[in-house]
Amino acid sequence: MSKRNSQEAKRVARERLRAEREKEAKKAKMRRQLGVAGAVVAALAVMGGIGFAVTKMLEDEYWDAAAKQDLVAPANTSGKDGLTVLLGDKDAPKTLELYEDPRCPGCAGFEQNAGAELKKGMDEGKYNVEFYGANFLDRNIGGEGSKNAMSALGAALNVSPDAFMAFKAAMYSDEFHPDEGGDPFAKDDYLIKIGDSVPELKGNKQFAKDVREGTFDRWGLEQAKIFDERNIGTTPTLRYDGKPIIDESTQSIPSNPEALKTAIDKAIKD
């Protein structure tokens, strides 16, 4: 599918969804005005099911089309199809792997509490980090926020690696990250709002255009397949040499700067 056609599919799908919601909202208002409480409750219950089904159908329709569009990799990637996102000094002596799902609350907690320590080690040249996204939460709880946020991360990376890291940090911040059940990342305008908190992306027309047009939709879908193919299983996951980096006292990813530093130092020295 051509880029133009995929963009048109996205626009048409969202317009259909908006029209369906407006149509159902008008029906709801009319029924409420009838004043028949029992009929209103029943109608709303049926309407809710229809609304969910329509939303799910249009989401699936759009992302199925996106999976067939031409693969456009962001700048600042490498490897086959540009699916490797290497952050930090490419000549660093060690390489860690970080796996995160944009909607994952555990990833948000990790980034808020220990993300600065991970970046510090990168800045000091101790290691670099290969980033891999995931979208399993869209499958597990419904919605499209993980997929859409992965596309936006591609748009940020296309600007620069620094913009990517700053956008990712903002996305996982307490200010912008949603509850696991919420799905604001499905909205392009919300992702652009997050981008406006990053100096390099604020008012950046190309970034906003790429988010709205889904330039990197296919890339985000392909990058997330690596998480599934490697059977990582959960996010956040940090690995070195194929082995998870964990806090031995909790047997999970380190949740604070000191524990993260200790665990990384042990892993890369062993």
mmCIF file with all atom_site columns, all heavy atoms in Angstrom, residues 232-254:
data_model
loop_
_atom_site.group_PDB
_atom_site.id
_atom_site.type_symbol
_atom_site.label_atom_id
_atom_site.label_alt_id
_atom_site.label_comp_id
_atom_site.label_asym_id
_atom_site.label_entity_id
_atom_site.label_seq_id
_atom_site.pdbx_PDB_ins_code
_atom_site.Cartn_x
_atom_site.Cartn_y
_atom_site.Cartn_z
_atom_site.occupancy
_atom_site.B_iso_or_equiv
_atom_site.pdbx_formal_charge
_atom_site.auth_seq_id
_atom_site.auth_comp_id
_atom_site.auth_asym_id
_atom_site.auth_atom_id
_atom_site.pdbx_PDB_model_num
ATOM 1   N N   . ILE A 1 232 ? 10.391 -12.147 24.884 1.00 0.00 ? 232 ILE A N   1
ATOM 2   C CA  . ILE A 1 232 ? 10.790 -11.372 26.064 1.00 0.00 ? 232 ILE A CA  1
ATOM 3   C C   . ILE A 1 232 ? 9.747  -11.507 27.171 1.00 0.00 ? 232 ILE A C   1
ATOM 4   O O   . ILE A 1 232 ? 10.073 -11.661 28.335 1.00 0.00 ? 232 ILE A O   1
ATOM 5   C CB  . ILE A 1 232 ? 11.013 -9.892  25.697 1.00 0.00 ? 232 ILE A CB  1
ATOM 6   C CG1 . ILE A 1 232 ? 12.085 -9.775  24.607 1.00 0.00 ? 232 ILE A CG1 1
ATOM 7   C CG2 . ILE A 1 232 ? 11.401 -9.087  26.929 1.00 0.00 ? 232 ILE A CG2 1
ATOM 8   C CD1 . ILE A 1 232 ? 13.423 -10.337 24.997 1.00 0.00 ? 232 ILE A CD1 1
ATOM 9   N N   . GLY A 1 233 ? 8.478  -11.426 26.808 1.00 0.00 ? 233 GLY A N   1
ATOM 10  C CA  . GLY A 1 233 ? 7.415  -11.753 27.757 1.00 0.00 ? 233 GLY A CA  1
ATOM 11  C C   . GLY A 1 233 ? 6.851  -10.601 28.550 1.00 0.00 ? 233 GLY A C   1
ATOM 12  O O   . GLY A 1 233 ? 5.645  -10.527 28.753 1.00 0.00 ? 233 GLY A O   1
ATOM 13  N N   . THR A 1 234 ? 7.701  -9.701  29.057 1.00 0.00 ? 234 THR A N   1
ATOM 14  C CA  . THR A 1 234 ? 7.196  -8.634  29.915 1.00 0.00 ? 234 THR A CA  1
ATOM 15  C C   . THR A 1 234 ? 8.017  -7.369  29.717 1.00 0.00 ? 234 THR A C   1
ATOM 16  O O   . THR A 1 234 ? 9.163  -7.415  29.251 1.00 0.00 ? 234 THR A O   1
ATOM 17  C CB  . THR A 1 234 ? 7.248  -9.061  31.397 1.00 0.00 ? 234 THR A CB  1
ATOM 18  O OG1 . THR A 1 234 ? 6.598  -8.071  32.207 1.00 0.00 ? 234 THR A OG1 1
ATOM 19  C CG2 . THR A 1 234 ? 8.684  -9.228  31.871 1.00 0.00 ? 234 THR A CG2 1
ATOM 20  N N   . THR A 1 235 ? 7.414  -6.254  30.057 1.00 0.00 ? 235 THR A N   1
ATOM 21  C CA  . THR A 1 235 ? 8.118  -4.974  30.024 1.00 0.00 ? 235 THR A CA  1
ATOM 22  C C   . THR A 1 235 ? 7.944  -4.290  31.381 1.00 0.00 ? 235 THR A C   1
ATOM 23  O O   . THR A 1 235 ? 6.926  -4.493  32.049 1.00 0.00 ? 235 THR A O   1
ATOM 24  C CB  . THR A 1 235 ? 7.555  -4.057  28.917 1.00 0.00 ? 235 THR A CB  1
ATOM 25  O OG1 . THR A 1 235 ? 6.149  -3.878  29.105 1.00 0.00 ? 235 THR A OG1 1
ATOM 26  C CG2 . THR A 1 235 ? 7.839  -4.625  27.543 1.00 0.00 ? 235 THR A CG2 1
ATOM 27  N N   . PRO A 1 236 ? 8.934  -3.508  31.804 1.00 0.00 ? 236 PRO A N   1
ATOM 28  C CA  . PRO A 1 236 ? 10.211 -3.290  31.131 1.00 0.00 ? 236 PRO A CA  1
ATOM 29  C C   . PRO A 1 236 ? 11.159 -4.467  31.350 1.00 0.00 ? 236 PRO A C   1
ATOM 30  O O   . PRO A 1 236 ? 11.137 -5.097  32.402 1.00 0.00 ? 236 PRO A O   1
ATOM 31  C CB  . PRO A 1 236 ? 10.754 -2.032  31.810 1.00 0.00 ? 236 PRO A CB  1
ATOM 32  C CG  . PRO A 1 236 ? 10.208 -2.114  33.212 1.00 0.00 ? 236 PRO A CG  1
ATOM 33  C CD  . PRO A 1 236 ? 8.838  -2.722  33.068 1.00 0.00 ? 236 PRO A CD  1
ATOM 34  N N   . THR A 1 237 ? 11.968 -4.742  30.358 1.00 0.00 ? 237 THR A N   1
ATOM 35  C CA  . THR A 1 237 ? 13.040 -5.732  30.469 1.00 0.00 ? 237 THR A CA  1
ATOM 36  C C   . THR A 1 237 ? 14.340 -5.095  29.999 1.00 0.00 ? 237 THR A C   1
ATOM 37  O O   . THR A 1 237 ? 14.377 -4.470  28.939 1.00 0.00 ? 237 THR A O   1
ATOM 38  C CB  . THR A 1 237 ? 12.742 -6.981  29.622 1.00 0.00 ? 237 THR A CB  1
ATOM 39  O OG1 . THR A 1 237 ? 11.660 -7.715  30.222 1.00 0.00 ? 237 THR A OG1 1
ATOM 40  C CG2 . THR A 1 237 ? 13.958 -7.895  29.551 1.00 0.00 ? 237 THR A CG2 1
ATOM 41  N N   . LEU A 1 238 ? 15.375 -5.258  30.808 1.00 0.00 ? 238 LEU A N   1
ATOM 42  C CA  . LEU A 1 238 ? 16.712 -4.777  30.468 1.00 0.00 ? 238 LEU A CA  1
ATOM 43  C C   . LEU A 1 238 ? 17.627 -5.990  30.423 1.00 0.00 ? 238 LEU A C   1
ATOM 44  O O   . LEU A 1 238 ? 17.646 -6.786  31.370 1.00 0.00 ? 238 LEU A O   1
ATOM 45  C CB  . LEU A 1 238 ? 17.196 -3.769  31.517 1.00 0.00 ? 238 LEU A CB  1
ATOM 46  C CG  . LEU A 1 238 ? 18.525 -3.062  31.254 1.00 0.00 ? 238 LEU A CG  1
ATOM 47  C CD1 . LEU A 1 238 ? 18.437 -2.163  30.030 1.00 0.00 ? 238 LEU A CD1 1
ATOM 48  C CD2 . LEU A 1 238 ? 18.937 -2.228  32.481 1.00 0.00 ? 238 LEU A CD2 1
ATOM 49  N N   . ARG A 1 239 ? 18.377 -6.156  29.325 1.00 0.00 ? 239 ARG A N   1
ATOM 50  C CA  . ARG A 1 239 ? 19.212 -7.344  29.170 1.00 0.00 ? 239 ARG A CA  1
ATOM 51  C C   . ARG A 1 239 ? 20.640 -6.966  28.778 1.00 0.00 ? 239 ARG A C   1
ATOM 52  O O   . ARG A 1 239 ? 20.890 -5.934  28.173 1.00 0.00 ? 239 ARG A O   1
ATOM 53  C CB  . ARG A 1 239 ? 18.660 -8.271  28.086 1.00 0.00 ? 239 ARG A CB  1
ATOM 54  C CG  . ARG A 1 239 ? 17.254 -8.749  28.288 1.00 0.00 ? 239 ARG A CG  1
ATOM 55  C CD  . ARG A 1 239 ? 16.939 -10.003 27.478 1.00 0.00 ? 239 ARG A CD  1
ATOM 56  N NE  . ARG A 1 239 ? 17.319 -9.937  26.081 1.00 0.00 ? 239 ARG A NE  1
ATOM 57  C CZ  . ARG A 1 239 ? 17.172 -10.931 25.202 1.00 0.00 ? 239 ARG A CZ  1
ATOM 58  N NH1 . ARG A 1 239 ? 16.634 -12.082 25.606 1.00 0.00 ? 239 ARG A NH1 1
ATOM 59  N NH2 . ARG A 1 239 ? 17.532 -10.800 23.948 1.00 0.00 ? 239 ARG A NH2 1
ATOM 60  N N   . TYR A 1 240 ? 21.546 -7.857  29.155 1.00 0.00 ? 240 TYR A N   1
ATOM 61  C CA  . TYR A 1 240 ? 22.920 -7.784  28.657 1.00 0.00 ? 240 TYR A CA  1
ATOM 62  C C   . TYR A 1 240 ? 23.352 -9.191  28.271 1.00 0.00 ? 240 TYR A C   1
ATOM 63  O O   . TYR A 1 240 ? 23.162 -10.137 29.053 1.00 0.00 ? 240 TYR A O   1
ATOM 64  C CB  . TYR A 1 240 ? 23.881 -7.217  29.699 1.00 0.00 ? 240 TYR A CB  1
ATOM 65  C CG  . TYR A 1 240 ? 25.329 -7.302  29.259 1.00 0.00 ? 240 TYR A CG  1
ATOM 66  C CD1 . TYR A 1 240 ? 25.788 -6.545  28.187 1.00 0.00 ? 240 TYR A CD1 1
ATOM 67  C CD2 . TYR A 1 240 ? 26.213 -8.192  29.875 1.00 0.00 ? 240 TYR A CD2 1
ATOM 68  C CE1 . TYR A 1 240 ? 27.094 -6.656  27.747 1.00 0.00 ? 240 TYR A CE1 1
ATOM 69  C CE2 . TYR A 1 240 ? 27.526 -8.298  29.442 1.00 0.00 ? 240 TYR A CE2 1
ATOM 70  C CZ  . TYR A 1 240 ? 27.964 -7.523  28.377 1.00 0.00 ? 240 TYR A CZ  1
ATOM 71  O OH  . TYR A 1 240 ? 29.259 -7.629  27.935 1.00 0.00 ? 240 TYR A OH  1
ATOM 72  N N   . ASP A 1 241 ? 23.871 -9.307  27.068 1.00 0.00 ? 241 ASP A N   1
ATOM 73  C CA  . ASP A 1 241 ? 24.339 -10.605 26.571 1.00 0.00 ? 241 ASP A CA  1
ATOM 74  C C   . ASP A 1 241 ? 23.223 -11.655 26.660 1.00 0.00 ? 241 ASP A C   1
ATOM 75  O O   . ASP A 1 241 ? 23.465 -12.817 26.999 1.00 0.00 ? 241 ASP A O   1
ATOM 76  C CB  . ASP A 1 241 ? 25.568 -11.052 27.354 1.00 0.00 ? 241 ASP A CB  1
ATOM 77  C CG  . ASP A 1 241 ? 26.347 -12.159 26.653 1.00 0.00 ? 241 ASP A CG  1
ATOM 78  O OD1 . ASP A 1 241 ? 26.230 -12.269 25.413 1.00 0.00 ? 241 ASP A OD1 1
ATOM 79  O OD2 . ASP A 1 241 ? 27.065 -12.918 27.338 1.00 0.00 ? 241 ASP A OD2 1
ATOM 80  N N   . GLY A 1 242 ? 21.998 -11.237 26.368 1.00 0.00 ? 242 GLY A N   1
ATOM 81  C CA  . GLY A 1 242 ? 20.860 -12.150 26.351 1.00 0.00 ? 242 GLY A CA  1
ATOM 82  C C   . GLY A 1 242 ? 20.273 -12.494 27.703 1.00 0.00 ? 242 GLY A C   1
ATOM 83  O O   . GLY A 1 242 ? 19.308 -13.256 27.783 1.00 0.00 ? 242 GLY A O   1
ATOM 84  N N   . LYS A 1 243 ? 20.827 -11.922 28.785 1.00 0.00 ? 243 LYS A N   1
ATOM 85  C CA  . LYS A 1 243 ? 20.354 -12.257 30.129 1.00 0.00 ? 243 LYS A CA  1
ATOM 86  C C   . LYS A 1 243 ? 19.731 -11.030 30.797 1.00 0.00 ? 243 LYS A C   1
ATOM 87  O O   . LYS A 1 243 ? 20.281 -9.931  30.703 1.00 0.00 ? 243 LYS A O   1
ATOM 88  C CB  . LYS A 1 243 ? 21.512 -12.774 30.988 1.00 0.00 ? 243 LYS A CB  1
ATOM 89  C CG  . LYS A 1 243 ? 22.169 -14.039 30.442 1.00 0.00 ? 243 LYS A CG  1
ATOM 90  C CD  . LYS A 1 243 ? 23.361 -14.431 31.296 1.00 0.00 ? 243 LYS A CD  1
ATOM 91  C CE  . LYS A 1 243 ? 24.059 -15.658 30.727 1.00 0.00 ? 243 LYS A CE  1
ATOM 92  N NZ  . LYS A 1 243 ? 25.267 -16.013 31.529 1.00 0.00 ? 243 LYS A NZ  1
ATOM 93  N N   . PRO A 1 244 ? 18.580 -11.198 31.474 1.00 0.00 ? 244 PRO A N   1
ATOM 94  C CA  . PRO A 1 244 ? 17.949 -10.070 32.146 1.00 0.00 ? 244 PRO A CA  1
ATOM 95  C C   . PRO A 1 244 ? 18.838 -9.477  33.233 1.00 0.00 ? 244 PRO A C   1
ATOM 96  O O   . PRO A 1 244 ? 19.515 -10.206 33.963 1.00 0.00 ? 244 PRO A O   1
ATOM 97  C CB  . PRO A 1 244 ? 16.679 -10.670 32.748 1.00 0.00 ? 244 PRO A CB  1
ATOM 98  C CG  . PRO A 1 244 ? 16.425 -11.905 31.959 1.00 0.00 ? 244 PRO A CG  1
ATOM 99  C CD  . PRO A 1 244 ? 17.778 -12.427 31.568 1.00 0.00 ? 244 PRO A CD  1
ATOM 100 N N   . ILE A 1 245 ? 18.840 -8.168  33.331 1.00 0.00 ? 245 ILE A N   1
ATOM 101 C CA  . ILE A 1 245 ? 19.521 -7.470  34.424 1.00 0.00 ? 245 ILE A CA  1
ATOM 102 C C   . ILE A 1 245 ? 18.489 -7.240  35.517 1.00 0.00 ? 245 ILE A C   1
ATOM 103 O O   . ILE A 1 245 ? 17.492 -6.546  35.304 1.00 0.00 ? 245 ILE A O   1
ATOM 104 C CB  . ILE A 1 245 ? 20.109 -6.128  33.935 1.00 0.00 ? 245 ILE A CB  1
ATOM 105 C CG1 . ILE A 1 245 ? 21.203 -6.392  32.897 1.00 0.00 ? 245 ILE A CG1 1
ATOM 106 C CG2 . ILE A 1 245 ? 20.653 -5.312  35.098 1.00 0.00 ? 245 ILE A CG2 1
ATOM 107 C CD1 . ILE A 1 245 ? 21.764 -5.141  32.255 1.00 0.00 ? 245 ILE A CD1 1
ATOM 108 N N   . ILE A 1 246 ? 18.711 -7.853  36.675 1.00 0.00 ? 246 ILE A N   1
ATOM 109 C CA  . ILE A 1 246 ? 17.703 -7.809  37.734 1.00 0.00 ? 246 ILE A CA  1
ATOM 110 C C   . ILE A 1 246 ? 18.330 -7.395  39.063 1.00 0.00 ? 246 ILE A C   1
ATOM 111 O O   . ILE A 1 246 ? 19.535 -7.505  39.268 1.00 0.00 ? 246 ILE A O   1
ATOM 112 C CB  . ILE A 1 246 ? 17.006 -9.169  37.908 1.00 0.00 ? 246 ILE A CB  1
ATOM 113 C CG1 . ILE A 1 246 ? 18.029 -10.245 38.285 1.00 0.00 ? 246 ILE A CG1 1
ATOM 114 C CG2 . ILE A 1 246 ? 16.231 -9.547  36.653 1.00 0.00 ? 246 ILE A CG2 1
ATOM 115 C CD1 . ILE A 1 246 ? 17.398 -11.577 38.656 1.00 0.00 ? 246 ILE A CD1 1
ATOM 116 N N   . ASP A 1 247 ? 17.460 -6.915  39.933 1.00 0.00 ? 247 ASP A N   1
ATOM 117 C CA  . ASP A 1 247 ? 17.818 -6.670  41.324 1.00 0.00 ? 247 ASP A CA  1
ATOM 118 C C   . ASP A 1 247 ? 17.677 -8.020  42.041 1.00 0.00 ? 247 ASP A C   1
ATOM 119 O O   . ASP A 1 247 ? 16.582 -8.581  42.117 1.00 0.00 ? 247 ASP A O   1
ATOM 120 C CB  . ASP A 1 247 ? 16.859 -5.632  41.909 1.00 0.00 ? 247 ASP A CB  1
ATOM 121 C CG  . ASP A 1 247 ? 17.167 -5.275  43.361 1.00 0.00 ? 247 ASP A CG  1
ATOM 122 O OD1 . ASP A 1 247 ? 17.861 -6.066  44.035 1.00 0.00 ? 247 ASP A OD1 1
ATOM 123 O OD2 . ASP A 1 247 ? 16.707 -4.223  43.820 1.00 0.00 ? 247 ASP A OD2 1
ATOM 124 N N   . GLU A 1 248 ? 18.775 -8.551  42.529 1.00 0.00 ? 248 GLU A N   1
ATOM 125 C CA  . GLU A 1 248 ? 18.739 -9.903  43.102 1.00 0.00 ? 248 GLU A CA  1
ATOM 126 C C   . GLU A 1 248 ? 17.851 -9.989  44.334 1.00 0.00 ? 248 GLU A C   1
ATOM 127 O O   . GLU A 1 248 ? 17.351 -11.063 44.671 1.00 0.00 ? 248 GLU A O   1
ATOM 128 C CB  . GLU A 1 248 ? 20.161 -10.361 43.432 1.00 0.00 ? 248 GLU A CB  1
ATOM 129 C CG  . GLU A 1 248 ? 21.013 -10.579 42.185 1.00 0.00 ? 248 GLU A CG  1
ATOM 130 C CD  . GLU A 1 248 ? 22.390 -11.123 42.525 1.00 0.00 ? 248 GLU A CD  1
ATOM 131 O OE1 . GLU A 1 248 ? 22.739 -11.149 43.719 1.00 0.00 ? 248 GLU A OE1 1
ATOM 132 O OE2 . GLU A 1 248 ? 23.121 -11.520 41.582 1.00 0.00 ? 248 GLU A OE2 1
ATOM 133 N N   . SER A 1 249 ? 17.618 -8.866  44.995 1.00 0.00 ? 249 SER A N   1
ATOM 134 C CA  . SER A 1 249 ? 16.772 -8.899  46.194 1.00 0.00 ? 249 SER A CA  1
ATOM 135 C C   . SER A 1 249 ? 15.293 -9.010  45.845 1.00 0.00 ? 249 SER A C   1
ATOM 136 O O   . SER A 1 249 ? 14.488 -9.488  46.639 1.00 0.00 ? 249 SER A O   1
ATOM 137 C CB  . SER A 1 249 ? 17.002 -7.648  47.045 1.00 0.00 ? 249 SER A CB  1
ATOM 138 O OG  . SER A 1 249 ? 16.574 -6.480  46.362 1.00 0.00 ? 249 SER A OG  1
ATOM 139 N N   . THR A 1 250 ? 14.929 -8.579  44.636 1.00 0.00 ? 250 THR A N   1
ATOM 140 C CA  . THR A 1 250 ? 13.522 -8.617  44.225 1.00 0.00 ? 250 THR A CA  1
ATOM 141 C C   . THR A 1 250 ? 13.291 -9.529  43.024 1.00 0.00 ? 250 THR A C   1
ATOM 142 O O   . THR A 1 250 ? 12.144 -9.828  42.693 1.00 0.00 ? 250 THR A O   1
ATOM 143 C CB  . THR A 1 250 ? 13.026 -7.209  43.857 1.00 0.00 ? 250 THR A CB  1
ATOM 144 O OG1 . THR A 1 250 ? 13.773 -6.728  42.728 1.00 0.00 ? 250 THR A OG1 1
ATOM 145 C CG2 . THR A 1 250 ? 13.187 -6.246  45.022 1.00 0.00 ? 250 THR A CG2 1
ATOM 146 N N   . GLN A 1 251 ? 14.368 -9.951  42.365 1.00 0.00 ? 251 GLN A N   1
ATOM 147 C CA  . GLN A 1 251 ? 14.291 -10.776 41.158 1.00 0.00 ? 251 GLN A CA  1
ATOM 148 C C   . GLN A 1 251 ? 13.483 -10.087 40.054 1.00 0.00 ? 251 GLN A C   1
ATOM 149 O O   . GLN A 1 251 ? 12.793 -10.740 39.267 1.00 0.00 ? 251 GLN A O   1
ATOM 150 C CB  . GLN A 1 251 ? 13.691 -12.144 41.488 1.00 0.00 ? 251 GLN A CB  1
ATOM 151 C CG  . GLN A 1 251 ? 14.582 -13.012 42.356 1.00 0.00 ? 251 GLN A CG  1
ATOM 152 C CD  . GLN A 1 251 ? 15.934 -13.324 41.695 1.00 0.00 ? 251 GLN A CD  1
ATOM 153 O OE1 . GLN A 1 251 ? 15.983 -13.903 40.615 1.00 0.00 ? 251 GLN A OE1 1
ATOM 154 N NE2 . GLN A 1 251 ? 17.018 -12.925 42.351 1.00 0.00 ? 251 GLN A NE2 1
ATOM 155 N N   . SER A 1 252 ? 13.590 -8.774  40.008 1.00 0.00 ? 252 SER A N   1
ATOM 156 C CA  . SER A 1 252 ? 12.914 -8.005  38.964 1.00 0.00 ? 252 SER A CA  1
ATOM 157 C C   . SER A 1 252 ? 13.828 -6.869  38.526 1.00 0.00 ? 252 SER A C   1
ATOM 158 O O   . SER A 1 252 ? 14.899 -6.658  39.114 1.00 0.00 ? 252 SER A O   1
ATOM 159 C CB  . SER A 1 252 ? 11.581 -7.455  39.467 1.00 0.00 ? 252 SER A CB  1
ATOM 160 O OG  . SER A 1 252 ? 11.790 -6.579  40.562 1.00 0.00 ? 252 SER A OG  1
ATOM 161 N N   . ILE A 1 253 ? 13.420 -6.135  37.519 1.00 0.00 ? 253 ILE A N   1
ATOM 162 C CA  . ILE A 1 253 ? 14.230 -5.042  37.034 1.00 0.00 ? 253 ILE A CA  1
ATOM 163 C C   . ILE A 1 253 ? 14.456 -4.026  38.156 1.00 0.00 ? 253 ILE A C   1
ATOM 164 O O   . ILE A 1 253 ? 13.534 -3.725  38.928 1.00 0.00 ? 253 ILE A O   1
ATOM 165 C CB  . ILE A 1 253 ? 13.579 -4.373  35.805 1.00 0.00 ? 253 ILE A CB  1
ATOM 166 C CG1 . ILE A 1 253 ? 14.566 -3.402  35.126 1.00 0.00 ? 253 ILE A CG1 1
ATOM 167 C CG2 . ILE A 1 253 ? 12.282 -3.677  36.166 1.00 0.00 ? 253 ILE A CG2 1
ATOM 168 C CD1 . ILE A 1 253 ? 14.101 -2.932  33.759 1.00 0.00 ? 253 ILE A CD1 1
ATOM 169 N N   . PRO A 1 254 ? 15.664 -3.512  38.318 1.00 0.00 ? 254 PRO A N   1
ATOM 170 C CA  . PRO A 1 254 ? 15.935 -2.555  39.397 1.00 0.00 ? 254 PRO A CA  1
ATOM 171 C C   . PRO A 1 254 ? 15.029 -1.330  39.290 1.00 0.00 ? 254 PRO A C   1
ATOM 172 O O   . PRO A 1 254 ? 14.836 -0.782  38.198 1.00 0.00 ? 254 PRO A O   1
ATOM 173 C CB  . PRO A 1 254 ? 17.404 -2.180  39.173 1.00 0.00 ? 254 PRO A CB  1
ATOM 174 C CG  . PRO A 1 254 ? 17.983 -3.372  38.483 1.00 0.00 ? 254 PRO A CG  1
ATOM 175 C CD  . PRO A 1 254 ? 16.891 -3.870  37.577 1.00 0.00 ? 254 PRO A CD  1
#
